[in-house]
């Protein structure tokens, strides 16, 4: 149980284009999902907390207009990197937390490369 | 706010030897503690967690950890490691439910790379 998927697993795009990453909880409902960014050989940095049916809460220093988050249903959250630039290249990981639960379950990650 | 320190960035161990990965935390509120493992180019998999109750927690793949409140530690141990345990290990902390808003976010340590040598 507690499986989280991400799509795509890796994506290469041209500078200036937008990329959408999907995060789905497959066998449980998640009122709260989280988006993290991980640089090579580094720890995870929380970007934003996504709550179903409401606006996401962004961490300090994360541009909300650049990283658009939508949590349209209890099993799906999306992260859209708008007007991507090479410095946005990174490993993006989502997690989901069941209602009332204390544990976050992580997706397999999406590797983004912006050329 | 919470913080986590993983004292060792890299730990090389011979196969079948015991291992301990150290984790210390700081928090002004009650905490939940977690250990996650990350294999190359993959997401994080939950190894074990401490929410309440017994301070000795057993997880998957033969790992266990002990919550020590007085020393604010949550070290991860395995009595005999295998080649397949080679991975990055992350300790994480979050505030307990009655903590102030925002304290329930997961805060990660910097990670410890465990390398198993034959």
């Amino acid at each position: 149980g507690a499986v989280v998927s991400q799509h795509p697993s890796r994506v290469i795009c041209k500078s200036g284009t937008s990329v959408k990453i999907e995060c789905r909880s497959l066998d449980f409902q998640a009122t709260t999902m989280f988006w993290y960014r991980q640089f090579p050989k580094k720890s995870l940095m929380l970007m934003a907390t996504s709550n179903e049916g409401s606006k996401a809460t962004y961490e300090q220093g994360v541009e909300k207009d650049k990283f658009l988050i939508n949590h349209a249903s209890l099993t799906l959250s999306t992260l859209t990197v708008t007007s991507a630039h090479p410095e946005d290249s990174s490993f993006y990981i989502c997690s989901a937390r069941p209602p009332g639960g204390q544990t976050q379950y992580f997706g397999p990650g999406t590797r983004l490369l912006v050329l | 706010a919470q913080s986590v320190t993983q004292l060792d960035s890299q730990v090389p161990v011979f196969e079948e030897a015991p291992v301990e990965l150290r984790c210390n935390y700081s928090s002004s509120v009650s905490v939940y503690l977690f250990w996650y493992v990350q294999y190359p180019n993959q997401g994080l998999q939950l190894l074990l967690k401490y929410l309440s109750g017994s301070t000795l927690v057993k997880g998957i793949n033969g790992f266990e950890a002990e919550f020590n409140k007085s020393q604010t530690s949550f070290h991860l141990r395995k009595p005999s490691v295998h080649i397949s345990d080679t991975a990055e290990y992350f300790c994480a902390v979050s505030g307990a439910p009655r903590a102030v808003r925002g304290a329930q976010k997961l805060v990660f340590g910097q990670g410890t790379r465990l390398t198993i040598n034959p």
Side-chain angles (χ1 to χ4, degrees):
Chain A
V3 179
V4 178
S5 70
Q6 276 184 248
H7 179 80
S9 58
R10 57 192 309 151
V11 56
I12 301 173
C13 69
K14 293 182 179 180
S15 186
T17 61
S18 294
V19 174
K20 180 185 284 189
I21 303 170
E22 291 186 350
C23 177
R24 292 181 185 272
S25 55
L26 299 184
D27 52 1
F28 66 99
Q29 293 184 332
T31 50
T32 306
M33 289 184 170
F34 303 84
W35 286 97
Y36 295 85
R37 183 172 178 176
Q38 186 179 32
F39 293 98
K41 298 185 179 182
K42 295 291 185 183
S43 188
L44 280 74
M45 180 191 78
L46 179 64
M47 299 174 66
T49 302
S50 168
N51 294 297
E52 188 265 338
S54 64
K55 292 183 178 180
T57 303
Y58 290 80
E59 295 300 299
Q60 192 172 10
V62 178
E63 299 176 60
K64 60 181 66 176
D65 293 331
K66 180 164 188 62
F67 297 101
L68 299 178
I69 291 172
N70 184 282
H71 193 156
S73 77
L74 287 172
T75 59
L76 173 64
S77 176
T78 60
L79 167 69
T80 301
V81 183
T82 62
S83 187
H85 290 283
E87 57 265 31
D88 298 325
S89 298
S90 194
F91 193 52
Y92 293 87
I93 307 176
C94 73
S95 71
R97 188 171 68 195
Q102 296 82 31
T103 305
Q104 291 183 29
Y105 298 95
F106 286 80
T110 296
R111 186 160 301 282
L112 171 64
L113 177 61
V114 184
L115 302 176
Chain B
Q2 292 80 37
S3 68
V4 178
T5 301
Q6 290 183 244
L7 297 161
D8 306 296
S9 60
Q10 297 186 61
V11 173
V13 181
F14 285 108
E15 193 173 15
E16 297 184 6
V19 70
E20 178 180 83
L21 305 184
R22 297 181 292 169
C23 172
N24 286 89
Y25 70 94
S26 68
S27 176
S28 57
V29 300
S30 298
V31 296
Y32 295 145
L33 292 155
F34 306 82
W35 275 99
Y36 287 90
V37 60
Q38 184 179 35
Y39 299 102
N41 297 310
Q42 295 186 29
L44 275 66
Q45 180 181 5
L46 179 68
L47 273 179
L48 49 77
K49 60 187 176 184
Y50 171 78
L51 304 181
S52 65
S54 174
T55 56
L56 182 62
V57 180
K58 294 189 183 297
I60 62 171
N61 301 342
F63 284 94
E64 65 180 32
E66 186 158 17
F67 170 54
N68 188 318
K69 188 174 182 179
S70 62
Q71 297 187 6
T72 60
S73 68
F74 191 54
H75 301 331
L76 181 70
R77 302 186 184 98
K78 185 170 182 176
S80 176
V81 295
H82 301 284
I83 291 285
S84 59
D85 292 323
T86 296
E88 190 85 19
Y89 291 79
F90 291 98
C91 180
V93 62
S94 72
R98 294 180 181 171
V100 298
R101 183 174 180 170
Q104 293 182 45
K105 295 183 290 188
L106 262 185
V107 176
F108 285 88
Q110 289 303 304
T112 297
R113 177 162 297 279
L114 177 62
T115 304
I116 310 302
N117 299 307

Coordinates of all heavy atoms in Angstrom, one line a residue, chain A residues 29-109:
Chain A
Q29 N -6.1 8.2 -0.7 CA -6.4 9.6 -0.9 C -5.4 10.5 -0.2 O -5.1 10.2 1.0 CB -7.8 10.0 -0.6 CG -8.8 9.2 -1.5 CD -10.3 9.6 -1.1 OE1 -10.6 10.0 0.0 NE2 -11.1 9.6 -2.1
A30 N -5.0 11.6 -0.8 CA -4.0 12.5 -0.2 C -4.5 13.9 -0.2 O -4.5 14.5 -1.2 CB -2.7 12.4 -0.9
T31 N -4.9 14.4 1.0 CA -5.3 15.8 1.0 C -4.1 16.7 1.0 O -4.3 17.9 0.6 CB -6.1 16.1 2.3 OG1 -5.3 15.6 3.4 CG2 -7.5 15.4 2.3
T32 N -3.0 16.2 1.3 CA -1.8 17.0 1.3 C -0.7 16.3 0.5 O -0.4 15.1 0.7 CB -1.2 17.3 2.7 OG1 -2.3 17.9 3.5 CG2 -0.1 18.3 2.6
M33 N -0.1 17.0 -0.5 CA 1.0 16.5 -1.2 C 2.1 17.6 -1.1 O 1.9 18.8 -0.9 CB 0.6 16.3 -2.7 CG -0.3 15.1 -2.9 SD -0.6 14.8 -4.6 CE -1.4 13.2 -4.5
F34 N 3.4 17.1 -1.3 CA 4.5 18.0 -1.2 C 5.4 17.9 -2.4 O 5.5 16.8 -3.0 CB 5.3 17.6 0.1 CG 4.6 17.6 1.4 CD1 3.8 16.5 1.7 CD2 4.6 18.7 2.2 CE1 3.1 16.5 2.9 CE2 3.9 18.7 3.4 CZ 3.1 17.6 3.8
W35 N 6.0 18.9 -2.8 CA 6.9 18.9 -3.9 C 8.3 19.3 -3.4 O 8.5 20.3 -2.7 CB 6.5 19.9 -5.0 CG 5.3 19.4 -5.7 CD1 4.0 19.7 -5.5 CD2 5.4 18.5 -6.8 NE1 3.2 19.0 -6.4 CE2 4.0 18.2 -7.2 CE3 6.4 17.8 -7.5 CZ2 3.7 17.4 -8.3 CZ3 6.1 17.0 -8.6 CH2 4.7 16.7 -8.9
Y36 N 9.3 18.5 -3.7 CA 10.7 18.7 -3.3 C 11.6 18.8 -4.6 O 11.3 18.3 -5.6 CB 11.2 17.5 -2.5 CG 10.5 17.3 -1.2 CD1 9.3 16.6 -1.1 CD2 11.1 17.8 0.0 CE1 8.7 16.4 0.1 CE2 10.4 17.6 1.2 CZ 9.3 16.9 1.3 OH 8.7 16.7 2.5
R37 N 12.7 19.4 -4.4 CA 13.7 19.5 -5.4 C 15.0 19.0 -4.8 O 15.3 19.2 -3.6 CB 13.9 20.9 -5.8 CG 14.9 21.1 -7.0 CD 14.9 22.6 -7.5 NE 15.8 22.8 -8.5 CZ 16.0 23.9 -9.2 NH1 15.2 24.9 -8.9 NH2 16.9 24.0 -10.2
Q38 N 15.7 18.2 -5.5 CA 17.0 17.6 -5.0 C 18.1 17.8 -6.0 O 18.0 17.4 -7.2 CB 16.8 16.1 -4.8 CG 18.0 15.4 -4.1 CD 17.8 14.0 -3.9 OE1 17.2 13.3 -4.6 NE2 18.4 13.5 -2.8
F39 N 19.1 18.5 -5.6 CA 20.3 18.7 -6.4 C 21.3 17.5 -6.2 O 21.2 16.8 -5.3 CB 21.0 20.0 -6.0 CG 20.2 21.3 -6.3 CD1 19.4 21.9 -5.3 CD2 20.2 21.8 -7.6 CE1 18.6 23.0 -5.6 CE2 19.4 22.9 -7.9 CZ 18.6 23.5 -6.9
P40 N 22.2 17.3 -7.2 CA 23.0 16.2 -7.2 C 23.8 16.1 -5.9 O 24.4 17.0 -5.4 CB 24.0 16.4 -8.3 CG 23.2 17.3 -9.3 CD 22.4 18.1 -8.4
K41 N 23.7 14.9 -5.3 CA 24.4 14.5 -4.0 C 24.0 15.5 -2.9 O 24.8 15.7 -2.0 CB 25.9 14.6 -4.2 CG 26.4 13.5 -5.3 CD 27.9 13.5 -5.4 CE 28.3 12.4 -6.4 NZ 29.8 12.3 -6.5
K42 N 22.8 16.0 -2.9 CA 22.3 16.9 -1.9 C 21.0 16.3 -1.3 O 20.4 15.3 -1.8 CB 22.0 18.3 -2.5 CG 23.3 19.0 -2.9 CD 24.2 19.3 -1.8 CE 25.4 20.1 -2.3 NZ 26.3 20.5 -1.3
S43 N 20.6 16.9 -0.3 CA 19.3 16.5 0.4 C 18.1 17.1 -0.3 O 18.3 17.8 -1.3 CB 19.3 16.9 1.8 OG 18.2 16.4 2.5
L44 N 16.9 16.8 0.2 CA 15.7 17.3 -0.5 C 15.4 18.7 0.1 O 15.5 18.9 1.3 CB 14.5 16.3 -0.2 CG 14.5 15.1 -1.0 CD1 15.5 14.1 -0.6 CD2 13.1 14.5 -0.9
M45 N 15.0 19.5 -0.8 CA 14.6 20.9 -0.4 C 13.1 21.0 -0.7 O 12.6 20.8 -1.9 CB 15.3 21.9 -1.3 CG 14.9 23.3 -0.9 SD 15.6 24.5 -2.1 CE 14.5 24.4 -3.5
L46 N 12.3 21.3 0.3 CA 10.9 21.4 0.2 C 10.6 22.7 -0.6 O 11.0 23.8 -0.3 CB 10.1 21.5 1.5 CG 8.6 21.7 1.5 CD1 8.0 20.5 0.8 CD2 8.1 21.9 2.9
M47 N 9.8 22.5 -1.7 CA 9.4 23.7 -2.5 C 8.1 24.3 -2.1 O 7.9 25.5 -1.9 CB 9.3 23.3 -4.0 CG 10.6 22.8 -4.6 SD 10.4 22.2 -6.2 CE 10.0 23.7 -7.1
A48 N 7.1 23.3 -1.9 CA 5.7 23.8 -1.6 C 4.9 22.7 -1.1 O 5.2 21.5 -1.3 CB 5.1 24.3 -2.9
T49 N 3.9 23.0 -0.4 CA 2.9 22.1 0.2 C 1.6 22.3 -0.6 O 1.1 23.5 -0.7 CB 2.7 22.3 1.7 OG1 3.9 22.2 2.3 CG2 1.7 21.4 2.2
S50 N 1.1 21.3 -1.1 CA -0.1 21.3 -1.9 C -1.3 20.7 -1.2 O -1.3 19.6 -0.8 CB 0.1 20.6 -3.2 OG -1.0 20.3 -4.0
N51 N -2.4 21.5 -1.0 CA -3.6 21.0 -0.4 C -4.7 21.0 -1.4 O -5.0 21.9 -2.1 CB -4.0 21.9 0.8 CG -2.9 21.9 1.9 OD1 -2.7 20.9 2.5 ND2 -2.3 23.0 2.2
E52 N -5.4 19.9 -1.4 CA -6.5 19.7 -2.3 C -7.6 20.7 -2.2 O -8.0 21.0 -1.1 CB -7.1 18.3 -2.1 CG -8.2 17.9 -3.1 CD -9.6 18.2 -2.7 OE1 -9.8 18.3 -1.5 OE2 -10.4 18.3 -3.6
G53 N -7.9 21.4 -3.3 CA -8.9 22.4 -3.3 C -8.5 23.8 -2.9 O -9.4 24.6 -2.8
S54 N -7.2 24.0 -2.6 CA -6.8 25.3 -2.1 C -5.5 25.6 -2.7 O -4.8 24.7 -3.3 CB -6.8 25.4 -0.6 OG -5.8 24.5 -0.1
K55 N -5.0 26.8 -2.5 CA -3.8 27.3 -3.1 C -2.6 26.6 -2.3 O -2.7 26.3 -1.1 CB -3.6 28.8 -3.0 CG -4.6 29.5 -3.9 CD -4.3 31.0 -3.8 CE -5.2 31.8 -4.7 NZ -5.0 33.3 -4.7
A56 N -1.5 26.4 -3.1 CA -0.4 25.8 -2.5 C 0.4 26.8 -1.6 O 0.3 28.0 -1.8 CB 0.6 25.3 -3.6
T57 N 1.1 26.3 -0.6 CA 1.9 27.1 0.2 C 3.4 26.9 -0.2 O 3.9 25.8 -0.1 CB 1.7 26.7 1.7 OG1 0.4 26.8 2.1 CG2 2.6 27.6 2.6
Y58 N 4.0 28.0 -0.6 CA 5.3 27.9 -1.1 C 6.4 28.3 0.0 O 6.1 29.1 0.9 CB 5.5 28.9 -2.3 CG 4.8 28.5 -3.5 CD1 3.4 28.7 -3.7 CD2 5.4 27.8 -4.6 CE1 2.7 28.3 -4.8 CE2 4.8 27.4 -5.7 CZ 3.4 27.6 -5.8 OH 2.8 27.2 -6.9
E59 N 7.5 27.6 -0.1 CA 8.6 27.9 0.8 C 9.3 29.2 0.4 O 9.2 29.6 -0.7 CB 9.6 26.8 0.9 CG 9.0 25.5 1.4 CD 8.5 25.6 2.8 OE1 9.3 26.0 3.7 OE2 7.3 25.4 3.1
Q60 N 9.9 29.8 1.4 CA 10.6 31.1 1.1 C 11.6 30.9 0.0 O 12.4 29.9 0.0 CB 11.3 31.5 2.4 CG 11.8 33.0 2.3 CD 12.3 33.5 3.7 OE1 12.4 32.7 4.6 NE2 12.6 34.7 3.8
G61 N 11.6 31.8 -0.9 CA 12.6 31.7 -2.0 C 12.1 31.0 -3.2 O 12.8 31.0 -4.3
V62 N 11.0 30.3 -3.2 CA 10.5 29.6 -4.3 C 9.4 30.5 -5.0 O 8.5 30.9 -4.4 CB 9.8 28.3 -3.9 CG1 9.2 27.5 -5.1 CG2 10.8 27.4 -3.1
E63 N 9.7 30.6 -6.3 CA 8.8 31.5 -7.1 C 7.5 30.8 -7.5 O 7.5 29.9 -8.3 CB 9.5 31.9 -8.4 CG 10.8 32.7 -8.2 CD 11.5 33.0 -9.5 OE1 10.9 33.7 -10.4 OE2 12.6 32.5 -9.7
K64 N 6.4 31.3 -6.9 CA 5.1 30.7 -7.2 C 4.7 30.8 -8.6 O 4.0 30.0 -9.1 CB 4.1 31.2 -6.2 CG 3.8 32.7 -6.3 CD 2.8 33.1 -5.3 CE 3.3 32.9 -3.9 NZ 2.3 33.4 -2.8
D65 N 5.1 31.9 -9.3 CA 4.7 32.1 -10.7 C 5.5 31.2 -11.6 O 5.1 31.0 -12.8 CB 4.8 33.5 -11.1 CG 3.9 34.4 -10.4 OD1 2.8 33.9 -10.0 OD2 4.2 35.6 -10.1
K66 N 6.6 30.7 -11.2 CA 7.5 29.9 -12.0 C 7.1 28.4 -11.8 O 7.2 27.6 -12.7 CB 8.9 30.1 -11.7 CG 9.9 29.2 -12.5 CD 11.3 29.7 -12.5 CE 12.1 29.0 -13.5 NZ 11.7 29.2 -14.8
F67 N 6.8 28.1 -10.6 CA 6.5 26.7 -10.2 C 5.0 26.6 -9.8 O 4.7 26.8 -8.7 CB 7.4 26.2 -9.1 CG 8.9 26.2 -9.4 CD1 9.7 27.2 -9.0 CD2 9.4 25.1 -10.2 CE1 11.1 27.2 -9.3 CE2 10.8 25.1 -10.5 CZ 11.6 26.1 -10.1
L68 N 4.2 26.4 -10.8 CA 2.8 26.4 -10.6 C 2.3 25.0 -10.1 O 2.6 24.0 -10.7 CB 2.0 26.7 -11.9 CG 2.3 28.1 -12.5 CD1 1.6 28.2 -13.8 CD2 2.0 29.2 -11.6
I69 N 1.6 25.0 -9.0 CA 1.1 23.8 -8.4 C -0.4 23.8 -8.4 O -1.0 24.7 -8.0 CB 1.7 23.6 -7.0 CG1 3.2 23.3 -7.1 CG2 1.0 22.4 -6.3 CD1 3.9 23.3 -5.8
N70 N -1.0 22.6 -8.8 CA -2.4 22.4 -8.8 C -2.7 21.1 -8.2 O -2.1 20.1 -8.6 CB -2.9 22.5 -10.3 CG -4.5 22.4 -10.3 OD1 -5.0 21.3 -10.2 ND2 -5.1 23.5 -10.5
H71 N -3.6 21.1 -7.2 CA -4.0 19.9 -6.5 C -5.5 19.7 -6.7 O -6.3 20.0 -5.8 CB -3.6 20.0 -5.0 CG -3.7 18.7 -4.3 ND1 -3.0 18.5 -3.1 CD2 -4.3 17.6 -4.5 CE1 -3.2 17.3 -2.7 NE2 -4.0 16.7 -3.5
A72 N -5.9 19.2 -7.9 CA -7.3 19.3 -8.4 C -8.1 18.2 -7.7 O -9.3 18.3 -7.7 CB -7.3 19.2 -9.9
S73 N -7.5 17.1 -7.3 CA -8.3 16.0 -6.7 C -7.5 15.4 -5.6 O -6.3 15.7 -5.3 CB -8.5 14.9 -7.8 OG -7.4 14.1 -8.0
L74 N -8.1 14.4 -4.9 CA -7.5 13.8 -3.7 C -6.4 12.8 -4.1 O -5.7 12.3 -3.2 CB -8.5 13.1 -2.9 CG -9.5 14.0 -2.1 CD1 -10.6 13.2 -1.5 CD2 -8.7 14.8 -1.0
T75 N -6.2 12.6 -5.4 CA -5.1 11.7 -5.8 C -4.2 12.3 -6.8 O -3.3 11.6 -7.3 CB -5.8 10.4 -6.4 OG1 -6.6 10.8 -7.5 CG2 -6.6 9.7 -5.4
L76 N -4.3 13.5 -7.1 CA -3.4 14.1 -8.2 C -3.0 15.5 -7.8 O -3.8 16.4 -7.5 CB -4.2 14.1 -9.5 CG -3.5 14.9 -10.7 CD1 -2.2 14.1 -11.1 CD2 -4.4 14.9 -11.9
S77 N -1.7 15.8 -7.9 CA -1.2 17.1 -7.9 C -0.2 17.3 -9.0 O 0.5 16.3 -9.4 CB -0.4 17.3 -6.5 OG 0.2 18.6 -6.5
T78 N -0.2 18.5 -9.6 CA 0.7 18.7 -10.7 C 1.6 19.9 -10.4 O 1.2 20.8 -9.8 CB 0.0 19.0 -12.0 OG1 -0.9 20.1 -11.8 CG2 -0.9 17.8 -12.4
L79 N 2.9 19.8 -10.9 CA 3.8 20.9 -10.8 C 4.2 21.3 -12.2 O 4.6 20.4 -13.0 CB 5.1 20.4 -10.1 CG 6.3 21.3 -10.2 CD1 6.1 22.6 -9.4 CD2 7.6 20.6 -9.6
T80 N 4.0 22.5 -12.6 CA 4.4 23.0 -13.9 C 5.5 24.0 -13.8 O 5.4 25.0 -13.1 CB 3.2 23.7 -14.6 OG1 2.1 22.8 -14.7 CG2 3.6 24.2 -16.0
V81 N 6.6 23.7 -14.4 CA 7.8 24.6 -14.4 C 7.6 25.4 -15.7 O 7.6 24.9 -16.8 CB 9.1 23.8 -14.5 CG1 10.3 24.7 -14.5 CG2 9.2 22.8 -13.4
T82 N 7.3 26.7 -15.5 CA 7.0 27.6 -16.6 C 8.3 28.3 -17.1 O 9.2 28.6 -16.3 CB 6.0 28.7 -16.2 OG1 6.6 29.5 -15.1 CG2 4.7 28.0 -15.7
S83 N 8.4 28.5 -18.4 CA 9.5 29.1 -19.0 C 10.8 28.6 -18.4 O 11.6 29.3 -17.8 CB 9.4 30.7 -18.8 OG 10.4 31.3 -19.5
A84 N 11.0 27.3 -18.6 CA 12.1 26.6 -17.9 C 13.5 27.1 -18.5 O 13.6 27.5 -19.7 CB 12.0 25.1 -18.2
H85 N 14.4 27.2 -17.6 CA 15.8 27.6 -17.9 C 16.7 26.5 -17.5 O 16.4 25.7 -16.6 CB 16.1 28.9 -17.3 CG 15.4 30.1 -17.9 ND1 15.7 30.6 -19.1 CD2 14.3 30.8 -17.4 CE1 14.9 31.6 -19.3 NE2 14.0 31.7 -18.3
P86 N 17.9 26.5 -18.0 CA 18.9 25.4 -17.6 C 19.1 25.3 -16.1 O 19.3 24.2 -15.6 CB 20.2 25.8 -18.3 CG 19.7 26.5 -19.5 CD 18.5 27.3 -19.1
E87 N 19.0 26.4 -15.3 CA 19.2 26.3 -13.9 C 18.0 25.6 -13.2 O 18.1 25.3 -12.0 CB 19.4 27.7 -13.3 CG 18.3 28.7 -13.6 CD 18.6 29.5 -14.8 OE1 19.3 29.1 -15.7 OE2 18.1 30.7 -14.8
D88 N 16.9 25.3 -13.9 CA 15.8 24.6 -13.4 C 16.0 23.1 -13.5 O 15.2 22.3 -12.9 CB 14.5 25.0 -14.1 CG 14.1 26.4 -13.9 OD1 14.4 27.0 -12.8 OD2 13.6 27.0 -14.9
S89 N 17.1 22.7 -14.2 CA 17.4 21.3 -14.3 C 17.6 20.7 -12.9 O 18.4 21.3 -12.2 CB 18.6 21.1 -15.2 OG 18.4 21.6 -16.5
S90 N 16.9 19.6 -12.6 CA 17.0 19.1 -11.3 C 16.2 17.8 -11.2 O 15.6 17.3 -12.2 CB 16.5 20.1 -10.3 OG 16.9 19.7 -9.0
F91 N 16.2 17.2 -10.0 CA 15.4 16.0 -9.8 C 14.3 16.5 -8.9 O 14.5 17.0 -7.8 CB 16.3 14.9 -9.0 CG 15.7 13.6 -9.0 CD1 15.2 12.9 -10.1 CD2 15.6 12.9 -7.8 CE1 14.7 11.6 -10.0 CE2 15.1 11.6 -7.7 CZ 14.6 11.0 -8.8
Y92 N 13.1 16.3 -9.4 CA 11.9 16.8 -8.6 C 11.1 15.6 -8.1 O 10.8 14.6 -8.8 CB 11.0 17.6 -9.5 CG 11.6 18.9 -10.0 CD1 12.4 19.0 -11.1 CD2 11.4 20.1 -9.2 CE1 12.9 20.2 -11.5 CE2 11.9 21.3 -9.6 CZ 12.7 21.3 -10.7 OH 13.3 22.5 -11.1
I93 N 10.9 15.6 -6.8 CA 10.2 14.5 -6.1 C 9.0 15.0 -5.4 O 9.0 16.0 -4.7 CB 11.2 13.8 -5.1 CG1 12.5 13.4 -5.7 CG2 10.5 12.6 -4.5 CD1 13.5 12.9 -4.7
C94 N 7.9 14.2 -5.5 CA 6.7 14.5 -4.8 C 6.5 13.5 -3.7 O 7.0 12.4 -3.7 CB 5.5 14.6 -5.7 SG 4.9 13.0 -6.3
S95 N 5.7 13.9 -2.7 CA 5.2 13.0 -1.7 C 3.8 13.2 -1.4 O 3.2 14.3 -1.7 CB 6.1 13.1 -0.4 OG 5.8 14.3 0.2
A96 N 3.1 12.3 -0.8 CA 1.7 12.4 -0.4 C 1.5 11.9 1.0 O 2.2 10.9 1.4 CB 0.9 11.6 -1.4
R97 N 0.6 12.5 1.7 CA 0.3 12.1 3.0 C -1.2 11.9 3.2 O -2.0 12.7 2.8 CB 0.7 13.2 4.0 CG 0.7 12.9 5.5 CD 1.3 13.9 6.4 NE 0.6 15.2 6.3 CZ 1.0 16.3 6.8 NH1 2.3 16.4 7.2 NH2 0.3 17.4 6.7
P98 N -1.5 10.7 3.7 CA -3.0 10.4 3.9 C -3.6 11.3 4.9 O -2.9 11.8 5.8 CB -2.9 8.9 4.4 CG -1.6 8.4 4.0 CD -0.7 9.5 4.1
P99 N -4.9 11.5 4.8 CA -5.6 12.3 5.8 C -5.4 11.8 7.2 O -5.5 10.6 7.5 CB -7.0 12.2 5.4 CG -7.0 11.9 4.0 CD -5.8 11.0 3.8
G100 N -4.9 12.7 8.1 CA -4.7 12.3 9.5 C -3.4 11.5 9.7 O -3.1 11.1 10.9
G101 N -2.7 11.2 8.7 CA -1.5 10.4 8.8 C -0.3 11.3 9.1 O -0.3 12.5 8.9
Q102 N 0.8 10.7 9.6 CA 2.0 11.4 9.9 C 3.1 11.1 8.9 O 4.1 11.8 8.9 CB 2.5 11.1 11.3 CG 1.5 11.5 12.4 CD 0.4 10.5 12.6 OE1 0.6 9.3 12.4 NE2 -0.7 11.0 13.0
T103 N 2.9 10.1 8.0 CA 4.0 9.7 7.2 C 3.8 10.2 5.7 O 2.7 10.1 5.2 CB 4.0 8.1 7.2 OG1 4.2 7.7 8.5 CG2 5.2 7.6 6.3
Q104 N 4.9 10.6 5.1 CA 4.9 11.0 3.7 C 5.4 9.8 2.9 O 6.4 9.3 3.3 CB 5.7 12.2 3.5 CG 5.1 13.5 4.1 CD 6.0 14.7 3.7 OE1 6.7 14.8 2.7 NE2 6.0 15.7 4.6
Y105 N 4.7 9.5 1.8 CA 5.1 8.5 0.9 C 5.6 9.2 -0.4 O 4.8 10.0 -0.9 CB 4.0 7.5 0.7 CG 3.6 6.8 2.0 CD1 2.5 7.3 2.7 CD2 4.3 5.7 2.4 CE1 2.2 6.7 3.9 CE2 3.9 5.1 3.6 CZ 2.9 5.6 4.4 OH 2.5 5.0 5.5
F106 N 6.7 8.8 -0.8 CA 7.4 9.5 -1.9 C 7.2 8.8 -3.3 O 7.1 7.6 -3.4 CB 8.9 9.6 -1.7 CG 9.2 10.7 -0.6 CD1 9.0 10.4 0.7 CD2 9.5 11.9 -1.0 CE1 9.3 11.3 1.7 CE2 9.8 12.9 0.0 CZ 9.6 12.6 1.4
G107 N 7.1 9.6 -4.3 CA 7.1 9.1 -5.7 C 8.6 8.8 -6.1 O 9.5 9.1 -5.4
P108 N 8.7 8.3 -7.3 CA 10.0 7.9 -7.8 C 10.9 9.0 -8.4 O 12.0 8.8 -8.7 CB 9.7 6.8 -8.9 CG 8.3 7.3 -9.4 CD 7.6 7.8 -8.2
G109 N 10.3 10.2 -8.5 CA 11.0 11.3 -8.9 C 11.0 11.5 -10.4 O 10.7 10.6 -11.2

